[in-house]
Every structure is written in structure tokens, then in C-alpha cells.
Amino acid sequence: MKKYFIKTYGCQMNQADSLVVSRILDEAGFKNVKNLKEADVILILTCAVREHAERRALGQIFSLSSLKKKKRCLIGILGCMARTLKERLIDGCLKEGLFDFLLGPDAYRRLPEIIENKFKNYEDRPIAIIEEEKETYSDILPQINYEGIEGFVTIMRGCDNFCSYCIVPYVRGRERSRPISSIIKEIDFLLSKGKKLITLLGQNVFGYKNIENGRILNFADLLTNIFEKFSNLKYLHFLTSHPKDLSFELIEKISKLMKEGKLFKELHLPLQSGSNRILKLMNRKYTREEYYEKVKYLKELIPEISITTDLIVGFPTETEEDYEATLEMVRKIEFDFAYMFKYSERPYTKAREIFPKVEEEVKQERLEKLISLQNDITKRKNEEMINKSYPIIIIKVQNKESLGRLPNNKLAVVKEELEVGKEYIIKIIKIDGWTPIGEIIK
Ligand code: 5AD
Ligand code: SF4
């Protein structure tokens, strides 16, 4: 029995994909191993969203090539870097012999056949397959080879938004949604395996669209269907959402489900920039005013909602004034948490042609100042929870401490061993770093 090892980089979509890959290989008679040295097939599931992620994966690939000299094994590169690496192989920028095959995010079904073929023709040149078909892996239940009560369900793949900085539409292809029936089947499967907190995943979940029995079903319909089928399901969550597709009607639907305790009271809503000029260049299709109105309405309906975001500094042509506009939005909205990035130039994207670029030192300075502002806000927002009580669902117990999620999806620590999957009531007594620390009161 051939053994395989997977190392996954990048976002939760990739984590979810690694479980699809696992299922495909397990069904074909392979065995998953956690130790790279034991493996006959080493798979690197890559991310291309920023250059930094790409560099880390490349570093790993280079360091693996020495392993191939010691034993007969295959190295396969999967995921979002497959397209760029294929082009670099063809134009001779990348030396051959670093890996045996490259498979894009829609080509994972081919894995068993490719592995078999490569073992037979071990000395052959690398194979590269970047399929462009409308793959959704709808019929493949993900493998459960991880502990805990959190499960992930990919509801759609690809992206049609073409934000001008983003490589995703070029490496993950066009947007396509899975049928509701297959999503329901997967949730059912995860619940039967003990998962309790389910996250729906997609590059833009609000773009979910599927035609079933002649009717177009959107994201709101998907939520209705899920809660009809699983009436006791609580703390569903979804990632990621595009502000342009968040209608006021959808805000009302989501808030109602949050009030009923079915959805986490958290929305991740990437703002990217607070400057209308930059938002336009980014092709984001909303203004700072529209974004603000939506968040305001959400907070009116759910005052305790946690709003998280993604922000990019140093997009080409970004002036001090544009950057100030981002800081101003951050101060005004008071995000509970933000992922903050320096603009990173990516292949194929439109922003490559936008000049002038912002200098590296300026980008670094802007990022550091933004992080420091947001860190203060994150800490202050968490401090507001002190002396208040919340239900908590425990997700992990380690070193005599328990980690759990609050209804706003924030993580909190209780300094005693509790039962994973069980709910307790805690009072937040202090904030350690950014982490709320709680004591059980019930
Ligand atoms: N440079 C910097 N950040 C980027 N992101 C996507 N593409 C880039 C890029 N080229 C960020 C966006 C997105 C998150 C997943 O990654 O903020 O929301
Ligand atoms: Fe990239 Fe924009 Fe699509 Fe998000 S919505 S994956 S940032 S193109």
C-alpha cells in the first residue's frame, strides 16, 4: 500500500481541498501518513494569493528535492501555484526534477492515475494538468482525518469578480456552485462524524447560485434549506463575503438567523481599502459610504455583532490621502479583527499595469501603523466583554486549558479541562494579549 503525505498552505478552501484529496487517495487504496519521511508520495497543496505564500511553498519544494536523491518517491504540487509553475517550466525558468507532477485545483480526481503512471515511468519529465472544467467535487465526501468539532463545507469554487489585485479567478477558475442536495449531504455526514460547528466556504459565498428544478436558488435559499433540514443546527458560519453582494434583504435574513442563535454573530466582510478612488481601481464595485451603510444596518439589528475584515495597503497609486481614508474607516467602524496585507503584485492581474507602484518602505510603514491602530481596537473591543457572561462551546483542550468559541465566534480560554463539544456559561474576567479569559459560572 503506497503512503502519501500532504502539506497544505493557504486559506480554509485549501484545507477543505486537502480533505477531498485525502478521500480520493484513500478510496484508491493509498494510506495517509503524518510523517513526510515515511511517504512514497509527497503532496504540497499550494497558495498563490500573495508572493509571500508562494515563496514559502517554493522553499519547501526546493528542500524536498534532496529527499528524492535518497529514495524512490514522488513529489506532487497541487493547487493554486500549478498554473504559474507550469508556465515557468515551459519557459525554462524552473529547472526540471524538482517535482514529478503539477495538478491545478480542478484536477484532483486525476491523482491516483497520475501517481500510478509516474511510478511506472519514474524518469519521465513532469506532468502538468490544469483542468478548466466545471469541477465541484460534489459527489466526494471529504475525509475526516482531523480531530475536533469544526467542519468545513465548500459550497462554491472559483471567482468571477476579478478584483484587480487578485490572482484567484486566474488560478481557481470561474465561479460555480454545488447543488444544495450535495451540500446538505455533506453537512449530514459531518454531523454524523461528531462535527458541531460548520463553516460554509467559498471565495464569495453571497454569489452562490444554483438552478434546481428550474428555480434559481441563491445563498439565502441555501441557508433556508440547511436550517429546514437541520432544525437544531447552531453556530453555522460562512466565509468569505463580498460587500457588493450583501443586500439589505440578505442583512435582514442573516440577522434573524443570528438572533435565533443559528449563525455565529460574526460577519467577515473584506473592505480592502477605505478610499473610493482605490476601491474603483481595485474593481470592488462598492463605495466606502455603501460599505458603511451596510455595516451600520447590521450593527443596528445585531448590536453585539463582530465585524472582521481584510485590508490591503500600498495598492498602486495609493497616496497618503487614500491611506488616511482607510485609517479613518478603521477608526469609524471599529472592526473586531482585521487581516492586513501589503499589496503584492500577482501574475495575470490588472493591477500590474497600474502605475506608479508604492515603494516597499512606504508600504511597510503604512502596514505597521495600520496594524498598530487595529490592534488597539481589537484589544479595546475585547475588553468591552470583561465582566459579561457568554455561552461558550469548547473546541479544544490542551495543557489543562480549554479553548472555545463565543456566540460572536471569538475564541476564549478557560483555565481548566472541560469537555470538547459541550456548552458552558462563562464570565470574561480579563484579556490576556487579545484573548478573552473566562471563568465558568454554569
Ligand atoms: N496583495 C495583497 N493582498 C491580497 N489579497 C488578495 N490578493 C492580494 C494581493 N495581490 C488579500 C485580500 C483578500 C485576502 C484573502 O487576501 O485582502 O481579501
Ligand atoms: Fe479575489 Fe476579489 Fe474574488 Fe475575493 S472576490 S477571490 S479578492 S477576485
Side-chain angles (χ1 to χ4, degrees):
M1 192 186 261
K2 290 260 186 294
K3 297 180 191 139
Y4 70 96
F5 167 90
I6 311 184
K7 164 94 185 158
T8 305
Y9 290 90
C11 65
Q12 273 152 326
M13 298 276 293
N14 253 14
Q15 302 289 343
D17 275 5
S18 76
L19 301 172
V20 170
V21 166
S22 252
R23 173 68 72 190
I24 291 172
L25 289 176
D26 294 354
E27 301 260 300
F30 291 83
K31 186 178 183 309
N32 184 228
V33 289
K34 300 275 175 250
N35 183 352
L36 185 148
K37 295 206 171 80
E38 283 175 35
D40 306 294
V41 184
I42 298 160
L43 301 169
I44 311 292
L45 191 40
T46 58
C47 167
V49 82
R50 280 172 297 277
E51 203 187 340
H52 177 70
E54 220 173 55
R55 237 185 280 130
R56 276 178 54 216
L58 267 178
Q60 171 86 13
I61 296 165
F62 282 117
S63 73
L64 282 177
S65 52
S66 60
L67 203 77
K68 256 186 104 59
K69 293 191 189 108
K70 288 188 212 136
K71 74 176 227 186
R72 191 179 156 91
C73 64
L74 295 180
I75 296 174
I77 315 298
L78 314 181
C80 296
M81 276 170 71
R83 182 171 168 192
T84 46
L85 288 181
K86 181 179 180 182
E87 285 164 15
R88 286 166 74 174
L89 261 188
I90 291 170
D91 64 22
C93 291
L94 202 66
K95 78 173 172 34
E96 283 187 17
L98 278 175
F99 46 80
D100 300 280
F101 55 88
L102 278 173
L103 291 184
D106 294 329
Y108 300 150
R109 284 181 202 264
R110 306 278 302 271
L111 261 168
E113 158 210 338
I114 302 255
I115 293 173
E116 201 181 317
N117 180 312
K118 275 310 271 175
F119 269 122
K120 274 192 206 137
N121 306 291
Y122 194 67
E123 301 301 331
D124 278 9
R125 301 181 60 196
I127 302 177
I129 302 175
I130 323 287
E131 309 250 293
E132 290 289 343
E133 45 182 279
K134 298 252 166 211
E135 180 62 86
T136 58
Y137 301 112
S138 290
D139 55 323
I140 299 179
L141 288 169
Q143 187 53 285
I144 305 277
N145 52 12
Y146 58 104
E147 287 173 9
I149 57 160
E150 299 186 283
F152 297 90
V153 180
T154 304
I155 63 165
M156 61 192 302
R157 300 177 72 85
C159 184
D160 283 352
N161 288 310
F162 291 95
C163 299
S164 65
Y165 50 81
C166 187
I167 196 173
V168 166
Y170 306 93
V171 293
R172 293 189 83 93
R174 295 286 62 72
E175 200 167 285
R176 61 223 109 110
S177 301
R178 279 175 60 182
I180 290 186
S181 54
S182 87
I183 295 169
I184 299 253
K185 193 171 161 201
E186 193 165 310
I187 296 176
D188 202 22
F189 171 71
L190 289 171
L191 296 176
S192 77
K193 297 285 177 191
K195 303 294 161 200
K196 287 193 158 79
L197 306 179
I198 306 289
T199 302
L200 306 179
L201 296 176
Q203 239 71 47
N204 170 22
V205 292
F206 294 159
Y208 180 88
K209 196 163 75 187
N210 210 43
I211 301 173
E212 276 176 46
N213 305 322
R215 260 192 73 213
I216 298 178
L217 301 170
N218 61 20
F219 184 64
D221 298 319
L222 173 65
L223 290 180
T224 305
N225 271 271
I226 290 175
F227 288 113
E228 259 169 27
K229 169 80 186 164
F230 308 103
S231 52
N232 290 330
L233 180 66
K234 64 194 289 192
Y235 298 151
L236 189 77
H237 186 50
F238 47 83
L239 278 173
T240 275
S241 329
H242 198 305
K244 79 171 164 58
D245 295 321
L246 177 61
S247 63
F248 284 82
E249 199 187 336
L250 188 53
I251 290 179
E252 283 159 13
K253 165 107 192 170
I254 289 171
S255 327
K256 187 166 171 281
L257 290 168
M258 287 179 178
K259 274 201 196 113
E260 289 168 3
K262 292 186 182 291
L263 285 179
F264 271 118
K265 290 177 179 161
E266 189 223 340
L267 189 65
H268 184 67
L269 201 60
L271 170 65
Q272 312 297 4
S273 168
S275 151
N276 281 339
R277 195 183 69 82
I278 296 291
L279 285 172
K280 194 150 201 288
L281 285 175
M282 285 177 162
N283 192 29
R284 290 290 287 175
K285 302 192 180 84
Y286 54 84
T287 61
R288 58 188 266 132
E289 291 78 16
E290 284 161 356
Y291 183 97
Y292 183 72
E293 280 309 307
K294 290 180 183 183
V295 169
K296 199 171 122 205
Y297 192 38
L298 269 166
K299 286 189 180 179
E300 259 165 47
L301 296 178
I302 310 280
E304 67 275 37
I305 193 169
S306 158
I307 307 276
T308 61
T309 201
D310 292 348
L311 296 163
I312 299 176
V313 298
F315 185 83
T317 78
E318 186 188 68
T319 60
E320 273 303 316
E321 206 183 335
D322 295 317
Y323 172 63
E324 234 352 281
T326 299
L327 296 181
E328 200 185 291
M329 281 293 270
V330 168
R331 283 190 210 104
K332 197 160 134 183
I333 292 176
E334 300 196 302
F335 294 107
D336 288 81
F337 184 79
Y339 296 94
M340 295 163 276
F341 311 104
K342 278 187 283 187
Y343 167 74
S344 160
E345 185 148 290
R346 306 311 297 131
Y348 322 116
T349 59
K350 287 269 188 307
R352 286 167 70 95
E353 290 140 39
I354 303 177
F355 295 96
K357 308 290 179 201
V358 176
E359 278 174 40
E360 184 56 33
E361 302 86 83
V362 177
K363 279 199 268 187
Q364 185 62 32
E365 229 171 81
R366 287 182 186 170
L367 181 67
E368 281 170 20
K369 201 170 136 201
L370 175 66
I371 290 177
S372 146
L373 169 66
Q374 180 55 48
N375 281 354
D376 286 348
I377 297 173
T378 302
K379 192 165 167 53
R380 181 153 34 86
K381 302 261 320 188
N382 284 353
E383 279 167 354
E384 282 169 14
M385 297 197 294
I386 293 178
N387 283 331
K388 292 189 185 142
S389 52
Y390 297 90
I392 186 170
I393 179 156
I394 304 302
I395 60 165
K396 198 173 173 183
V397 179
Q398 208 173 24
N399 304 331
K400 300 210 159 77
E401 283 186 359
S402 306
L403 187 70
R405 291 197 181 274
L406 306 177
N408 60 7
N409 204 17
K410 287 188 186 176
L411 288 168
V413 167
V414 182
K415 302 220 166 177
E416 60 182 291
E417 277 186 38
L418 301 169
E419 197 181 318
V420 170
K422 224 177 139 188
E423 279 195 77
Y424 301 84
I425 306 285
I426 60 166
K427 186 166 96 177
I428 305 297
I429 49 165
K430 63 173 181 177
I431 304 297
D432 198 351
W434 289 280
T435 313
I437 311 289
E439 261 175 16
I440 300 278
I441 53 175
K442 212 157 82 191

Short mmCIF file of all heavy atoms in Angstrom, two decimals, residues 76-99:
data_model
loop_
_atom_site.label_atom_id
_atom_site.label_comp_id
_atom_site.label_asym_id
_atom_site.label_seq_id
_atom_site.Cartn_x
_atom_site.Cartn_y
_atom_site.Cartn_z
N GLY A 76 4.49 15.86 -5.67
CA GLY A 76 3.42 16.45 -6.49
C GLY A 76 3.03 17.81 -5.96
O GLY A 76 2.90 17.99 -4.75
N ILE A 77 2.88 18.77 -6.86
CA ILE A 77 2.48 20.12 -6.45
C ILE A 77 1.03 20.31 -6.88
O ILE A 77 0.71 20.16 -8.06
CB ILE A 77 3.36 21.21 -7.12
CG1 ILE A 77 4.84 20.84 -7.04
CG2 ILE A 77 3.06 22.58 -6.52
CD1 ILE A 77 5.40 20.72 -5.65
N LEU A 78 0.20 20.63 -5.92
CA LEU A 78 -1.23 20.79 -6.20
C LEU A 78 -1.66 22.22 -5.92
O LEU A 78 -1.02 22.95 -5.18
CB LEU A 78 -2.06 19.87 -5.29
CG LEU A 78 -1.64 18.42 -5.11
CD1 LEU A 78 -2.62 17.72 -4.20
CD2 LEU A 78 -1.59 17.72 -6.46
N GLY A 79 -2.79 22.61 -6.50
CA GLY A 79 -3.44 23.85 -6.10
C GLY A 79 -3.09 25.06 -6.93
O GLY A 79 -2.75 24.98 -8.11
N CYS A 80 -3.18 26.21 -6.24
CA CYS A 80 -3.18 27.50 -6.94
C CYS A 80 -1.87 27.86 -7.63
O CYS A 80 -1.87 28.70 -8.53
CB CYS A 80 -3.60 28.60 -5.97
SG CYS A 80 -5.29 28.37 -5.41
N MET A 81 -0.74 27.27 -7.22
CA MET A 81 0.52 27.60 -7.89
C MET A 81 0.74 26.78 -9.15
O MET A 81 1.71 27.01 -9.88
CB MET A 81 1.71 27.40 -6.94
CG MET A 81 1.95 28.60 -6.03
SD MET A 81 3.14 28.22 -4.75
CE MET A 81 4.65 28.13 -5.70
N ALA A 82 -0.13 25.80 -9.41
CA ALA A 82 0.12 24.88 -10.52
C ALA A 82 0.24 25.63 -11.85
O ALA A 82 1.13 25.36 -12.65
CB ALA A 82 -0.99 23.83 -10.59
N ARG A 83 -0.64 26.61 -12.05
CA ARG A 83 -0.62 27.31 -13.34
C ARG A 83 0.67 28.10 -13.54
O ARG A 83 1.30 28.02 -14.59
CB ARG A 83 -1.84 28.24 -13.45
CG ARG A 83 -1.86 28.93 -14.77
CD ARG A 83 -3.13 29.70 -15.05
NE ARG A 83 -2.89 30.53 -16.23
CZ ARG A 83 -3.68 31.49 -16.63
NH1 ARG A 83 -4.79 31.75 -15.97
NH2 ARG A 83 -3.39 32.19 -17.70
N THR A 84 1.07 28.86 -12.52
CA THR A 84 2.29 29.67 -12.68
C THR A 84 3.52 28.77 -12.81
O THR A 84 4.40 29.03 -13.62
CB THR A 84 2.51 30.62 -11.47
OG1 THR A 84 2.30 29.90 -10.28
CG2 THR A 84 1.61 31.82 -11.52
N LEU A 85 3.54 27.69 -12.05
CA LEU A 85 4.71 26.80 -12.12
C LEU A 85 4.79 26.11 -13.48
O LEU A 85 5.87 25.90 -14.02
CB LEU A 85 4.67 25.76 -11.00
CG LEU A 85 4.95 26.30 -9.60
CD1 LEU A 85 4.90 25.18 -8.57
CD2 LEU A 85 6.32 26.98 -9.53
N LYS A 86 3.63 25.77 -14.03
CA LYS A 86 3.61 25.13 -15.36
C LYS A 86 4.24 26.08 -16.38
O LYS A 86 5.08 25.69 -17.19
CB LYS A 86 2.18 24.79 -15.77
CG LYS A 86 2.10 24.10 -17.12
CD LYS A 86 0.68 23.75 -17.49
CE LYS A 86 0.67 23.06 -18.85
NZ LYS A 86 -0.69 22.74 -19.28
N GLU A 87 3.83 27.34 -16.30
CA GLU A 87 4.38 28.32 -17.26
C GLU A 87 5.87 28.51 -17.05
O GLU A 87 6.63 28.65 -18.00
CB GLU A 87 3.62 29.65 -17.13
CG GLU A 87 2.25 29.52 -17.78
CD GLU A 87 1.26 30.62 -17.40
OE1 GLU A 87 1.68 31.65 -16.86
OE2 GLU A 87 0.06 30.41 -17.65
N ARG A 88 6.32 28.47 -15.80
CA ARG A 88 7.75 28.64 -15.53
C ARG A 88 8.56 27.43 -16.00
O ARG A 88 9.72 27.56 -16.39
CB ARG A 88 7.99 28.89 -14.04
CG ARG A 88 7.56 30.31 -13.68
CD ARG A 88 7.46 30.51 -12.21
NE ARG A 88 8.77 30.58 -11.58
CZ ARG A 88 8.93 30.88 -10.29
NH1 ARG A 88 7.90 31.12 -9.53
NH2 ARG A 88 10.13 30.93 -9.78
N LEU A 89 7.90 26.25 -15.98
CA LEU A 89 8.58 25.04 -16.50
C LEU A 89 8.74 25.16 -18.01
O LEU A 89 9.81 24.90 -18.56
CB LEU A 89 7.70 23.82 -16.25
CG LEU A 89 7.98 22.92 -15.06
CD1 LEU A 89 7.11 21.68 -15.16
CD2 LEU A 89 9.45 22.53 -14.97
N ILE A 90 7.64 25.60 -18.66
CA ILE A 90 7.64 25.67 -20.12
C ILE A 90 8.66 26.70 -20.61
O ILE A 90 9.41 26.44 -21.54
CB ILE A 90 6.22 26.00 -20.65
CG1 ILE A 90 5.31 24.79 -20.39
CG2 ILE A 90 6.23 26.32 -22.15
CD1 ILE A 90 3.84 25.03 -20.63
N ASP A 91 8.70 27.87 -19.94
CA ASP A 91 9.65 28.88 -20.44
C ASP A 91 11.07 28.69 -19.88
O ASP A 91 11.94 29.53 -20.08
CB ASP A 91 9.12 30.31 -20.24
CG ASP A 91 8.96 30.70 -18.78
OD1 ASP A 91 9.62 30.06 -17.93
OD2 ASP A 91 8.20 31.62 -18.48
N GLY A 92 11.25 27.60 -19.15
CA GLY A 92 12.61 27.24 -18.73
C GLY A 92 13.12 27.97 -17.50
O GLY A 92 14.28 27.84 -17.12
N CYS A 93 12.23 28.73 -16.81
CA CYS A 93 12.66 29.47 -15.61
C CYS A 93 12.85 28.54 -14.41
O CYS A 93 13.46 28.91 -13.43
CB CYS A 93 11.64 30.53 -15.22
SG CYS A 93 11.59 31.85 -16.38
N LEU A 94 12.21 27.37 -14.50
CA LEU A 94 12.27 26.47 -13.36
C LEU A 94 12.94 25.19 -13.82
O LEU A 94 12.57 24.63 -14.86
CB LEU A 94 10.83 26.17 -12.92
CG LEU A 94 10.59 25.69 -11.52
CD1 LEU A 94 10.95 26.80 -10.53
CD2 LEU A 94 9.14 25.32 -11.34
N LYS A 95 13.92 24.71 -13.06
CA LYS A 95 14.60 23.52 -13.56
C LYS A 95 13.75 22.28 -13.31
O LYS A 95 12.99 22.22 -12.33
CB LYS A 95 16.00 23.41 -12.97
CG LYS A 95 16.11 22.91 -11.56
CD LYS A 95 17.60 22.73 -11.29
CE LYS A 95 17.99 22.42 -9.92
NZ LYS A 95 17.50 21.75 -8.92
N GLU A 96 13.87 21.34 -14.23
CA GLU A 96 13.09 20.11 -14.09
C GLU A 96 13.72 19.24 -13.01
O GLU A 96 14.86 19.46 -12.63
CB GLU A 96 13.05 19.37 -15.42
CG GLU A 96 12.07 20.03 -16.35
CD GLU A 96 11.87 19.25 -17.64
OE1 GLU A 96 12.23 18.08 -17.67
OE2 GLU A 96 11.33 19.85 -18.58
N GLY A 97 12.94 18.28 -12.49
CA GLY A 97 13.50 17.39 -11.48
C GLY A 97 13.14 17.83 -10.07
O GLY A 97 13.42 17.13 -9.11
N LEU A 98 12.52 19.00 -9.94
CA LEU A 98 12.12 19.45 -8.60
C LEU A 98 10.87 18.70 -8.13
O LEU A 98 10.66 18.49 -6.96
CB LEU A 98 11.81 20.94 -8.61
CG LEU A 98 12.97 21.90 -8.49
CD1 LEU A 98 12.47 23.33 -8.64
CD2 LEU A 98 13.68 21.73 -7.16
N PHE A 99 10.02 18.37 -9.10
CA PHE A 99 8.79 17.65 -8.76
C PHE A 99 8.38 16.77 -9.93
O PHE A 99 8.91 16.90 -11.04
CB PHE A 99 7.67 18.62 -8.37
CG PHE A 99 7.52 19.78 -9.32
CD1 PHE A 99 6.86 19.62 -10.52
CD2 PHE A 99 8.06 21.02 -8.99
CE1 PHE A 99 6.72 20.68 -11.39
CE2 PHE A 99 7.93 22.09 -9.87
CZ PHE A 99 7.26 21.91 -11.08
#
